[in-house]
Amino acid sequence: MNIPSLPPAALEKIRSSKNITAITGAGISQESGIPTFRGAGGFWKNYKAEELATPEAFSKNPNLVWEWYDWRRDLCLKAEPNPGHLTLAKWESHATSFHLITQNVDGLHVRAGSKQLKQIHGNIFTTRCTKCEDLRPIETSGRDSFCRKCDSPLRPHILWFGEMYDTTLLQSCYEIASRSEVILIIGTSANVSVPASMAEEAIRRGALSIEINPETTSLSGSVDYCLQGKSGEILPKFFYDIYESK
Ligand code: OAD
Ligand code: ZN
């Protein structure tokens, strides 16, 4: 199998870079068996993610939305981090500063060992009170439905369509992006404008930009290199070429 890589000069540039950032989307977890949002398998009981991951869907039918998240959470629990997640976790100890910004809520980057991680769309293993905003991890023994502090209904701690990002979190992500010398854009369709704009900010500031995706996206035309294929196959080889082949 021919796994794409970069020319030696680009590999050398990455090797000598201090600030490296990766932005990941659902595609990195596809090889762990978690369906992407917009690809085949992104449906549940004939609903599209866009029809369930909204505040409107939750106020109309909270049980349905919870049922979907309970199903997804179970899928995430059964899944294992793949070589793509593991390579990104390992990268932290090879660059002076390596940051990972993920749109994924599946917890696989955490389980792979990534520490410098921003989960900008939340976390499927955490509940948030709809009134007092208390956050609480969901235990494997079962999920609460009502807040332990104020008895109001709980919701998933997930950023839904049409909701505002946390501004402090967003600001720190843009700062990370703007000082990146290398930006890796992995497994995302770039359909969600905020994470796509973080990648664009790094590109605008002159970062070496590499997209890893089996398909082309709206960012493909703006990056320096497109490595076409699965991230679980490309990332370990890419990492080896950069740091371990010498
Ligand atoms: P999408 O489902 O939009 O895109 C997944 C991308 O992964 C596509 O570009 C695929 O080509 C690519 N892909 C598929 N298999 C892959 C593999 N093995 N290796 C690498 N790439 C692969 O998912 P996102 O871009 O993450 O937001 O979508 C962003 C957001 O849309 C999600 O975080 C979610 C959703 O609405 C919220 O829930 C707020
Ligand atoms: Zn509460």
Side-chain angles (χ1 to χ4, degrees):
M1 187 180 36
N2 198 5
I3 299 175
S5 189
L6 296 188
L11 295 172
E12 180 53 42
K13 155 90 180 133
I14 301 173
R15 196 177 296 124
S16 60
S17 292
K18 292 194 171 70
N19 292 305
I20 302 180
T21 302
I23 298 183
T24 62
I28 195 166
S29 297
Q30 185 267 341
E31 290 155 89
S32 295
I34 299 179
T36 60
F37 282 85
R38 295 175 180 82
F43 282 85
W44 175 78
K45 292 190 177 179
N46 287 332
Y47 293 99
K48 282 195 277 183
E50 289 94 326
E51 293 171 298
L52 296 167
T54 68
E56 293 76 22
F58 189 70
S59 21
K60 200 169 135 204
N61 194 342
N63 290 339
L64 177 75
V65 173
W66 263 122
E67 203 191 326
W68 180 56
Y69 279 106
D70 288 342
W71 172 78
R72 272 191 83 87
R73 198 174 65 251
D74 195 45
L75 208 65
C76 297
L77 263 183
K78 286 182 185 141
E80 291 295 332
N82 68 52
H85 301 106
L86 297 170
T87 301
L88 295 179
K90 192 162 76 166
W91 213 312
E92 284 184 11
S93 51
H94 281 71
T96 310
S97 165
F98 183 88
H99 287 275
L100 177 53
I101 297 170
T102 190
Q103 300 166 72
N104 300 346
V105 299
D106 56 31
L108 289 176
H109 284 307
V110 177
R111 285 169 58 201
S114 286
K115 302 271 187 297
Q116 300 303 323
L117 174 66
K118 307 278 185 203
Q119 300 179 96
I120 59 171
H121 289 169
N123 179 335
I124 204 164
F125 296 102
T126 305
T127 55
R128 186 167 84 233
C129 173
T130 51
K131 189 164 179 213
C132 76
E133 309 224 314
D134 184 50
L135 297 177
R136 214 163 273 266
I138 300 180
E139 320 212 335
T140 38
S141 50
R143 167 177 66 74
D144 289 346
S145 298
F146 296 96
C147 179
R148 291 185 191 189
K149 284 191 174 165
C150 75
D151 210 30
S152 300
L154 297 176
R155 59 166 278 177
H157 180 46
I158 303 254
L159 185 85
W160 284 331
F161 290 102
E163 292 189 316
M164 300 281 284
Y165 282 81
D166 177 302
T167 45
T168 313
L169 180 63
L170 217 54
Q171 199 183 349
S172 75
C173 290
Y174 281 112
E175 277 164 18
I176 289 167
S178 67
R179 61 171 190 264
S180 304
E181 294 156 79
V182 177
I183 182 88
L184 308 170
I185 304 150
I186 306 163
T188 176
S189 63
N191 262 308
V192 178
S193 60
V194 169
S197 74
M198 290 172 188
E200 281 160 352
E201 169 70 2
I203 295 170
R204 201 175 59 77
R205 300 259 190 162
L208 179 74
S209 50
I210 301 123
E211 179 176 69
I212 301 177
N213 198 312
E215 290 170 21
T216 52
T217 74
S218 55
L219 286 175
S220 302
S222 318
V223 297
D224 294 308
Y225 297 98
C226 291
L227 296 179
Q228 279 205 313
K230 296 182 170 190
S231 48
E233 292 170 0
I234 291 179
L235 277 168
K237 159 87 166 41
F238 187 42
F239 186 86
Y240 174 84
D241 289 347
I242 298 165
Y243 298 110
E244 295 173 343
S245 64
K246 295 221 155 181

